[in-house]
Amino acid sequence: MATTPEPSSRTLAVVSGQDLWLWREDARRLALKAGIPVAEVDWLLQEVAGLDPLSLRLESFKARSHIELRYPLSVLTQLWQRRLCDRLPVQYLVGITPWRRFSLNVSPAVLIPRPETEYLIDLAVSAAGQSATPQLDAGQWADLGTGSGAIALGLAEAFPDATIHAVDYSRDALAIAQLNAQQLGFESRIQFYQGSWFSPLAALKGQLSGIVSNPPYIPKDELKRLQPEVRDHEPLMALDGGIDGLDCIRHLINTSPDYLCPGGVWMIEMMAGQGNTVAQLLHQQGRYCQIQIIPDLAGIDRFALAYRQ
């Protein structure tokens, strides 16, 4: 696969507003033809040209004589062709995605954090406050399968007195997560570990105030039916949940009680339609209480929450 062109670190390209407007018009036309949301063109221009949404909507940038770009228009055209022809996600094109209040670095080594996952942080804050165990918000929290580090960063911001432990099997993913932590000023609050799930956290058995994870949960047979942006570009290891999509979730259900303190929070994201089975598995394990299946903002059962007995 062709690599994404890299801009010079010292020299920005300069174009007129008229030329950028013409480029935008052509890109939007091609997006419509390819069935790609035209809004992605403006998202791309916000990132590479620093244009704000209002100036794009009103097209007021068209009157400017000079606009600085991270890439020459010829390179920007190459990037957009990759979006159209290779179905490469626009976030990977520019290496950045917004999540909560953050601007996160991303690459094909990590899943692109989804807006619905942001709600996990709000749920964690609420769950910590409702636990019978005091001061969970100042304890030790784990983000298992951290990827870009989004959840760990969200927890670090929400719980300023907590220590966050972020684990991922992929060294490339951890490099992205650590870069995000450094750029956002959380490097002293988050400890990073390479390994599978709890394997690097043996010293924390019985001490975790909370475990939050967005594990792989797509059934293996459904992977080939995913959108090409996901199927062909996002890391398979972060998607494949086994035959029924629940392999990793079962593991987390069965192993987490050994690591959580009494009253500690267990929380995951899951696929629509898995809620009843996940709730049943939590009940069967026998060491959880106050088990809840929680919908996302679209009303789809998306999260499972429980407390360690």
Side-chain angles (χ1 to χ4, degrees), residues 2 12 17 72 95 98-99 111 135 148 159 170 177 188 205 234 257 261 267:
L12 294 173
W99 196 81
L111 284 181
Q135 295 187 311
S148 66
F159 299 138
S170 166
S188 65
K205 281 190 174 182
E234 299 204 56
C261 68
M267 186 180 303

Side-chain angles (χ1 to χ4, degrees), residues 54-72:
L54 182 61
S55 67
L56 286 162
R57 187 167 71 249
L58 299 179
E59 299 185 345
S60 57
F61 69 91
K62 185 178 176 181
R64 292 168 56 179
S65 59
H66 292 81
I67 296 175
E68 291 185 341
L69 301 178
R70 285 171 52 190
Y71 309 93

